C-alpha cells in the first residue's frame, strides 16, 4: 500500500479523540499528516533536500505557522495579512524541535524542514502537542532516518486527578501544565509550569504522560504497518579513523592533565586545550604531503577541530563516569560558588539584582508600569488577551567572549525568557492586590552554563528589591547527565562544557514548597523515568542551597517601591459612567490628566487605575473621578464653590465634575432681590441636594441645613 493513499486512524484518551489523516494533503512534500482533535486541525509536513557544501551540523529547520483563518478572523492592518509571528508561535516551533532533533542522526547533512500549520482551531484544544506528534509521523512518511516514532501529550491536574490533553480552561483552572514527549527508548523532552507542586507529584505526572505518549507511539507503529513502510535507515558516512588515532595517541595524556587540573578556570582550560590542538596541527603540517593524516586535514579544514573535540569529549565523559569527578573538581552533586547583590543600580531603576553562580553572571532589572503597559497579545487565536508580567532575556556576544552583530532576540532568547517567566508566575501577587504591570529584563553578562536558571534567581531578587510582594522566592538549578552504556551519572549545576559535551540539560525551578517550572532536553534517544526522577530529586537540595544564598542578599521583599516607580490608586465605578469619565472625544479624561499630571486607565468592568509619581496628584485625580461618578441622592449635604451666577440663581460645583443650581428662592430664608447681593463667584457655600429632575439636572438649596450636617460637609471637603 502506498503511504500517499488516504488513510484515517483514531486514537482515544478518556473520550478525547485524536484523528490522523494521511495521504490527503501536500502530495509533493516528503511526508504529510493532518492531526485533528476537536475542531483543531494541524497539517504537518516533512521535506528533505540535498545538502549544501560546508555544512558540518544537522541542518534541521522547524517552523510552526498559525493563520487567522483558523479562528475565522481576518488580519488587521493595511495589508490584511499575518504579520510578525507572536511569541507563542516561536515557542511552539521550539517545542516541536526539541524532542525531534535528537532522534534524527546527527551525521545527516541534508536540509530537513518540518512545517506545522494550524488550519483550524477551536477554543478548547491547544494545537502544539498535536504538531509535535504530527512531526514524528511526517518524518517517518518522508523516509528520513529517524530513531522514532515520537509523540507528545499535555498533562493537566484538576484537584487530585491528572488529565491528558486538557482544554485551555482546564489548564487555567488547574495547578499543572506539563508537556511530555517520549520515544520507544523513554522520555525525551519535558516542559512544565506548576503551582509549587511537590517533586513526587511532578514525577507521577511525567509517568502518566509518558504512558499516554506510548499509546500514540503504538498507533504510529500500527499506521506504519497499514502503510507497509518501515523506519528509514541509512549507513553513516565512512570515516577514516587514521586522524582520530593520531590525535588520540598524541594528545590523550595532555588533555587528561588539563581536565584533571582543577585549578584552571574556564578560560585557562580553553586556552590550554587550544594550545594542544595547535601543536598537533603543527605536527601534521610537518608530515609529508602524501600522508593520509595530512591529506585528511587538507581536504577538510575542520577535520582536526572535530576530531579533537570528540577526543576531548570522550575523555571528559570518562573522567566523570569512572572517577566521578568533574573538570572543575566538584563532586557530582555540588553547586558552584554563589553570590548575589541587590539594589546595585540607582533607584531610578525600580529594582535590580546581580546573581553569580561560578562564571555565570546575570543582571536582572525590574520596571513597574501601569495597567496600560500590559502587553496586548497579537496571538488572536488564543484565549489570553494580555500579559501583565513580562520577562525578557538577552544574551549579548561579550557574555561568552565573542564578537558578532547584535540582532533581534532569537528563538533561544525567547525560549529562555519564557521559561523564567513561567517560573515566577505562580508567586506573583494577584492583580487585585498589586495592579502594577511588571517587566523584568535579564541581561546575561557572563555565561558558563545555566543562564536561564541564573535569570530566575536574579529576577526573584530584583522583584523583591522593587517591592513586589511575591509570595515566595524562587530559585533554579540546571541538571546534566552523562550516559555511557549502562553507567549513568547525574550532574548538579552543569557548566558550559558539561552542557556541550553531555547528554541532558534539565532545568528545575521552584520554591521551598515545590516546583514552578521544568524544562528537559535530551541529546540521546530517551531516558528512563527512574533516571528522570533521580534528576528531579537531586535538584531539590541544590535549589535550596542556592535559595539560602539568595536570601542572604535580601531576605524578603522591600516594604515600599522605589520613589521613581509610579504610585497607583484604584477605584471602582459603575460601568455606565465610563463614557462620562472619558467624555466626548476623550475631553474629560484629558482634562483630568492635564490638571493632575496623572495617567488614567479604565477597564471595561469599571476598574479605574490612576498612576502618578506624586501621590497627592493621584489622590486629586481620584477625587475628581469619584465626584463625577458618584450617585447623588436628594437630602445630601456638601460644601461647594460658586462657579457662575445668572439672574435666577447660582451654579455651585459641590463635587469634582458635579454641578447644580441654587434657585434665587433657595439662597436665603428671606426674599433675595438680586443674586449678587448674597453670592459671588468663588464663594464657598454649604448646600443640600433638593431634587434631581428627569433630565438629570441637580437643584440645590441653602435652606434647612442642620449645623452638624454643615460641619460634616466641611470635614469631607477638607479630605
Amino acid at each position: 500500500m502506498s503511504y500517499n493513499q488516504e488513510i484515517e486512524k483514531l486514537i482515544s484518551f478518556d473520550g478525547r479523540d485524536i484523528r490522523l489523516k494521511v495521504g490527503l494533503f501536500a502530495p509533493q512534500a516528503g511526508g504529510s499528516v493532518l492531526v485533528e482533535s476537536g475542531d483543531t486541525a494541524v497539517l504537518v509536513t516533512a521535506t528533505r533536500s540535498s545538502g549544501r557544501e560546508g555544512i558540518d551540523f544537522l541542518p534541521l529547520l522547524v517552523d510552526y505557522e498559525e493563520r487567522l483563518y483558523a479562528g475565522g478572523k481576518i488580519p488587521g492592518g493595511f495589508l490584511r495579512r499575518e504579520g510578525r509571528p507572536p511569541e507563542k508561535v516561536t515557542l511552539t516551533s521550539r517545542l516541536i524541535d526539541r524532542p525531534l532533533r535528537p532522534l534524527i542522526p546527527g551525521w545527516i547533512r541534508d536540509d530537513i524542514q518540518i512545517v506545522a500549520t494550524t488550519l483550524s482551531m477551536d477554543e478548547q484544544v491547544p494545537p502544539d502537542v498535536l504538531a509535535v506528534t504530527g512531526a514524528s509521523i511526517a518524518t517517518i512518511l518522508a523516509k528520513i532516518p529517524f530513531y522514532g516514532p515520537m509523540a507528545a501529550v499535555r498533562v493537566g491536574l484538576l484537584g487530585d486527578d491528572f488529565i491528558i490533553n486538557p482544554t485551555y480552561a482546564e489548564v487555567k483552572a488547574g495547578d499543572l501544565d506539563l508537556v511530555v514527549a517520549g520515544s520507544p527508548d523513554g522520555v525525551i523532552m519535558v516542559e512544565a509550569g506548576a503551582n509549587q507542586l511537590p517533586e513526587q507529584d511532578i514525577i507521577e505526572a511525567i509517568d502518566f504522560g509518558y504512558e499516554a505518549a506510548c499509546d500514540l507511539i503504538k498507533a504510529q507503529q500500527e499506521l506504519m504497518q497499514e502503510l507497509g513502510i518501515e523506519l528509514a535507515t541509512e549507513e553513516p558516512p565512512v570515516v577514516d579513523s587514521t586522524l582520530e588515532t593520531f590525535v588520540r595517541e598524541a594528545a590523550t595524556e595532555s588533555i587528561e592533565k588539563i581536565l584533571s587540573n582543577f585549578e584552571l578556570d574556564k578560560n585557562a582550560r580553553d586556552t590550554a586545550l587550544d594550545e594542544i590542538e595547535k601543536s598537533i596541527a603543527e605536527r601534521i603540517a610537518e608530515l609529508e604531503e602524501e600522508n593520509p593524516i595530512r591529506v585528511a586535514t587538507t581536504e577538510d579544514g575542520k577535520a582536526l577541530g572535530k576530531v579533537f573535540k570528540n577526543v576531548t569529549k570522550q575523555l571528559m565523559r570518562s573522567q566523570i563516569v569512572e572517577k566521578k569527578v568533574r573538570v572543575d573538581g566538584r563532586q557530582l552533586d555540588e553547586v558552584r560558588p554563589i553570590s548575589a547583590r541587590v539594589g546595585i543600580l540607582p533607584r531610578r531603576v525600580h529594582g535590580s539584582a546581580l546573581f553569580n553562580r561560578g562564571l555565570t553572571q546575570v543582571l536582572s532589572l525590574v520596571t513597574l508600569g501601569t495597567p496600560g503597559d500590559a502587553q496586548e497579545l497579537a496571538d488572536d487565536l488564543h484565549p489570553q488577551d494580555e500579559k501583565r508580567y513580562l520577562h525578557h532575556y538577552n544574551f549579548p556576544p561579550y557574555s561568552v567572549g565573542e564578537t558578532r552583530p547584535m540582532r533581534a532576540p532569537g528563538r533561544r532568547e525567547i525560549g529562555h525568557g519564557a521559561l523564567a517567566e513561567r517560573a515566577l508566575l505562580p508567586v506573583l501577587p494577584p492583580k487585585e492586590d498589586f495592579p502594577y504591570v511588571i517587566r523584568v529584563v535579564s541581561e546575561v553578562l557572563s555565561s558558563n552554563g545555566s543562564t536561564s536558571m541564573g535569570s530566575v534567581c536574579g529576577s526573584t531578587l530584583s522583584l523583591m528589591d522593587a517591592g513586589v510582594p511575591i509570595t515566595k522566592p524562587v530559585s533554579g538549578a540546571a541538571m546534566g547527565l552523562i550516559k555511557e552504556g549502562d553507567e549513568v551519572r547525574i550532574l548538579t549545576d552543569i557548566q558550559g562544557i558539561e552542557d556541550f559535551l553531555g547528554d541532558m540539560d534539565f532545568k528545575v525551578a521552584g520554591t521551598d514548597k515545590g516546583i514552578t517550572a521544568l524544562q528537559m532536553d535530551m541529546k540521546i534517544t530517551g531516558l528512563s523515568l527512574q533516571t528522570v526522577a533521580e534528576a528531579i530529586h537531586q535538584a531539590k537540595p541544590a535549589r535550596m542551597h542556592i535559595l539560602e544564598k539568595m536570601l542572604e542578599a535580601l531576605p524578603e521583599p522591600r516594604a515600599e517601591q522605589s520613589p521613581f516607580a509610579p504610585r497607583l490608586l484604584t477605584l471602582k465605578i459603575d460601568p455606565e459612567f465610563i463614557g462620562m469619565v472619558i467624555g466626548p472625544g476623550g475631553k474629560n479624561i484629558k482634562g483630568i490628566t492635564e490638571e493632575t499630571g496623572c495617567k488614567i486607565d479604565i477597564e471595561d468592568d469599571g476598574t479605574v487605575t490612576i498612576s502618578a509619581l506624586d501621590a497627592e496628584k493621584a489622590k486629586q485625580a481620584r477625587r475628581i473621578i469619584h465626584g463625577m461618578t458618584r450617585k447623588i441622592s436628594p437630602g445630601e449635604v456638601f460644601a461647594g464653590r460658586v462657579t457662575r451666577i445668572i439672574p435666577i440663581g447660582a451654579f455651585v460645583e459641590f463635587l469634582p465634575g458635579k454641578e447644580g443650581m441654587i434657585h434665587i428662592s433657595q439662597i436665603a430664608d428671606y426674599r433675595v432681590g438680586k443674586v449678587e447681593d448674597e453670592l459671588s463667584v468663588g464663594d464657598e457655600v454649604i448646600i443640600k441636594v433638593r431634587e434631581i429632575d428627569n433630565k438629570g439636572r441637580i437643584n440645590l438649596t441653602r435652606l434647612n441645613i442642620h449645623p452638624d450636617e454643615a460641619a460634616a460637609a466641611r470635614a469631607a471637603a477638607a479630605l
Side-chain angles (χ1 to χ4, degrees):
M1 180 180 292
S2 173
Y3 73 85
N4 55 18
Q5 183 174 343
E6 286 190 35
I7 284 185
E8 293 190 15
K9 191 166 189 63
L10 181 70
I11 308 110
S12 180
F13 295 110
D14 299 325
R16 301 179 188 220
D17 295 339
I18 294 178
R19 301 177 298 280
L20 308 177
K21 294 182 179 179
V22 173
L24 179 60
F25 296 96
Q28 293 194 78
S32 68
V33 60
L34 185 72
V35 186
E36 297 178 306
S37 184
D39 287 333
T40 295
V42 185
L43 174 65
V44 189
T45 64
T47 307
R48 179 184 185 182
S49 61
S50 300
R52 294 164 285 159
E53 291 292 329
I55 297 295
D56 61 351
F57 58 90
L58 170 63
L60 171 64
L61 180 62
V62 177
D63 289 300
Y64 173 72
E65 303 284 335
E66 283 185 347
R67 308 288 191 232
L68 288 189
Y69 58 67
K73 298 181 180 180
I74 295 176
F78 178 76
L79 297 177
R80 290 290 190 265
R81 288 186 67 110
E82 287 83 1
R84 180 180 177 180
E87 187 177 280
K88 172 71 176 177
V89 167
T90 300
L91 296 175
T92 302
S93 296
R94 282 173 52 84
L95 190 73
I96 300 168
D97 183 294
R98 286 163 38 214
L100 185 68
R101 186 174 294 272
L103 297 178
I104 297 176
W107 48 260
I108 288 182
R109 297 294 175 260
D110 289 349
D111 285 306
I112 298 172
Q113 185 174 26
I114 308 295
V115 179
T117 307
T118 296
L119 302 181
S120 175
M121 184 184 295
D122 62 21
E123 295 182 355
Q124 299 293 318
V125 182
D128 49 4
V129 292
L130 304 181
V132 177
T133 301
S136 171
I137 299 169
T139 300
I140 292 169
L141 297 178
K143 298 182 179 178
I144 296 170
F146 187 48
Y147 304 129
M150 174 269 295
V153 298
R154 173 173 270 104
V155 180
L157 177 63
L158 276 178
D160 295 328
D161 298 323
F162 292 123
I163 304 171
I164 291 296
N165 289 349
T167 65
Y168 286 111
E170 288 170 335
V171 169
K172 187 175 182 180
D175 291 324
L176 178 66
D177 181 9
L178 170 75
V179 175
V180 182
S183 71
D185 291 339
V187 178
I188 197 166
M189 189 273 290
V190 175
E191 181 167 296
N195 189 15
Q196 303 184 73
L197 290 180
E199 277 73 6
Q200 192 56 41
D201 287 357
I202 295 290
I203 292 167
E204 290 176 7
I206 294 173
D207 186 21
F208 186 77
Y210 180 65
E211 287 184 8
C214 287
D215 290 340
L216 281 171
I217 291 171
K218 182 179 178 182
Q220 292 180 61
Q221 293 168 335
E222 292 172 354
L223 181 64
M224 291 166 59
Q225 290 179 351
E226 294 176 32
L227 294 170
I229 61 173
E230 297 181 354
L231 286 174
T233 57
E234 293 179 12
E235 291 297 323
V238 177
V239 178
D240 189 346
S241 61
T242 305
L243 177 60
E244 181 173 342
T245 301
F246 178 84
V247 172
R248 192 175 293 280
E249 291 175 352
T252 293
E253 185 176 349
S254 300
I255 293 174
E256 286 180 337
K257 279 185 179 179
I258 292 171
L259 295 180
S260 59
N261 184 352
F262 307 139
E263 300 300 320
L264 296 177
D265 62 16
K266 175 181 181 293
N267 293 329
R269 182 171 57 249
D270 290 346
T271 299
L273 290 173
D274 289 343
E275 288 297 322
I276 295 174
E277 184 179 348
K278 181 180 177 181
S279 68
I280 294 175
E282 291 172 351
R283 288 178 57 182
I284 292 175
E286 295 172 355
L287 299 174
E288 297 179 358
E289 292 186 4
E290 298 81 11
N291 188 293
I293 296 172
R294 184 169 178 180
V295 170
T297 56
T298 303
E299 291 179 348
D300 181 358
K302 298 179 180 180
L304 175 58
K306 289 186 286 188
V307 169
F308 187 82
K309 171 191 154 185
N310 287 337
V311 171
T312 303
K313 175 179 179 179
Q314 292 165 9
L315 293 174
M316 186 208 76
R317 291 167 65 93
S318 295
Q319 177 175 296
I320 291 173
V321 171
E322 295 170 10
K323 300 179 182 179
K324 298 183 180 180
V325 178
R326 300 155 76 170
V327 292
D328 57 359
R330 282 185 293 153
Q331 299 301 305
L332 302 187
D333 61 352
E334 188 176 347
V335 178
R336 287 172 289 174
I338 303 289
S339 67
R341 298 172 66 183
V342 298
I344 60 172
L345 294 179
R347 290 295 284 163
R348 187 168 289 277
V349 175
H350 300 164
S352 60
L354 185 69
F355 178 81
N356 295 271
R357 187 199 299 109
L359 195 57
T360 292
Q361 184 183 70
V362 180
L363 174 65
S364 292
L365 307 118
V366 172
T367 306
L368 301 178
T370 67
D373 294 320
Q375 183 181 6
E376 295 291 336
L377 297 181
D379 191 356
D380 295 328
L381 294 177
H382 296 86
Q384 187 182 8
D385 59 0
E386 71 172 17
K387 286 171 67 174
R388 55 180 293 268
Y389 175 62
L390 303 93
H391 188 115
H392 296 148
Y393 167 102
N394 295 319
F395 192 91
Y398 62 75
S399 65
V400 286
E402 296 177 355
T403 59
R404 56 175 166 79
M406 300 281 282
R407 309 207 183 278
R411 289 186 174 186
R412 179 181 179 275
E413 289 171 297
I414 291 173
H416 280 15
L419 176 62
E421 184 176 291
R422 173 175 266 187
L424 271 298
L425 275 173
V427 302
L428 293 177
K431 182 178 181 179
E432 296 74 22
D433 298 336
F434 195 77
Y436 288 96
V437 168
I438 306 165
R439 181 184 186 230
V440 179
V441 179
S442 289
E443 303 282 359
V444 177
L445 304 185
S446 178
S447 173
N448 187 27
S450 189
T451 55
S452 63
M453 293 297 95
S455 68
V456 168
C457 300
S459 299
T460 295
L461 289 172
S462 63
L463 288 167
M464 293 166 65
D465 183 51
V468 178
I470 59 174
T471 57
K472 278 184 174 293
V474 179
S475 63
M479 312 299 291
L481 178 135
I482 303 292
K483 187 175 187 296
E484 293 288 348
D486 295 331
E487 294 292 324
V488 175
R489 300 289 182 266
I490 297 172
L491 311 178
T492 293
D493 179 28
I494 56 173
Q495 56 186 314
I497 191 172
E498 293 167 337
D499 183 8
F500 189 62
L501 302 180
D503 297 320
M504 178 183 77
D505 182 9
F506 195 175
K507 305 175 182 73
V508 186
T511 68
D512 58 4
K513 180 181 177 182
I515 290 173
T516 58
L518 287 178
Q519 189 177 94
M520 184 187 81
D521 295 317
M522 303 294 301
K523 296 177 185 176
I524 55 179
T525 58
L527 205 60
S528 70
L529 181 68
Q530 179 183 351
T531 303
V532 174
E534 288 177 10
I536 292 175
H537 283 304
Q538 188 169 317
K540 184 172 183 179
R543 290 194 296 108
M544 295 302 99
H545 170 72
I546 294 168
L547 185 60
E548 181 181 347
K549 295 295 183 181
M550 290 166 54
L551 296 182
E552 290 177 4
L554 186 63
E556 60 185 17
R558 298 194 189 279
E560 295 184 356
Q561 287 81 48
S562 161
F564 294 101
R567 293 300 183 261
L568 300 188
L569 294 178
T570 61
L571 70 153
K572 193 88 169 191
I573 66 173
D574 191 317
E576 71 180 45
F577 289 127
I578 292 176
M580 177 192 298
V581 175
I582 296 174
K587 177 183 176 181
N588 294 346
I589 199 167
K590 288 177 183 176
I592 301 170
T593 299
E594 290 172 0
E595 180 180 347
T596 64
C598 298
K599 182 179 178 183
I600 301 169
D601 296 292
I602 305 178
E603 299 182 22
D604 291 341
D605 66 353
T607 300
V608 180
T609 304
I610 303 164
S611 62
L613 290 178
D614 186 338
E616 289 304 316
K617 292 292 186 181
K619 291 178 182 178
Q620 180 186 355
R622 181 171 63 179
R623 285 195 297 268
I624 294 172
I625 295 172
H626 184 266
M628 293 175 65
T629 58
R630 176 178 167 179
K631 291 184 177 180
I632 306 301
S633 301
E636 289 190 87
V637 177
F638 299 93
R641 187 180 299 274
V642 177
T643 58
R644 55 196 171 106
I645 293 175
I646 61 176
I648 63 170
F651 286 90
V652 176
E653 184 180 33
F654 57 91
L655 285 173
K658 288 286 187 186
E659 194 175 65
M661 190 187 82
I662 311 174
H663 190 269
I664 191 171
S665 64
Q666 299 295 317
I667 292 177
D669 57 3
Y670 49 82
R671 185 181 183 278
V672 176
K674 193 176 180 181
V675 177
E676 288 87 342
D677 293 340
E678 299 290 332
L679 297 172
S680 300
V681 172
D683 284 352
E684 293 185 358
V685 293
I686 302 298
I687 54 86
K688 178 184 288 188
V689 178
R690 189 163 61 90
E691 66 173 355
I692 302 172
D693 67 20
N694 56 10
K695 292 184 178 180
R697 293 177 298 197
I698 302 172
N699 296 317
L700 308 174
T701 182
R702 296 180 69 191
L703 306 180
N704 302 318
I705 300 175
H706 193 278
D708 291 346
E709 292 179 318
R714 289 190 182 95
L719 296 176

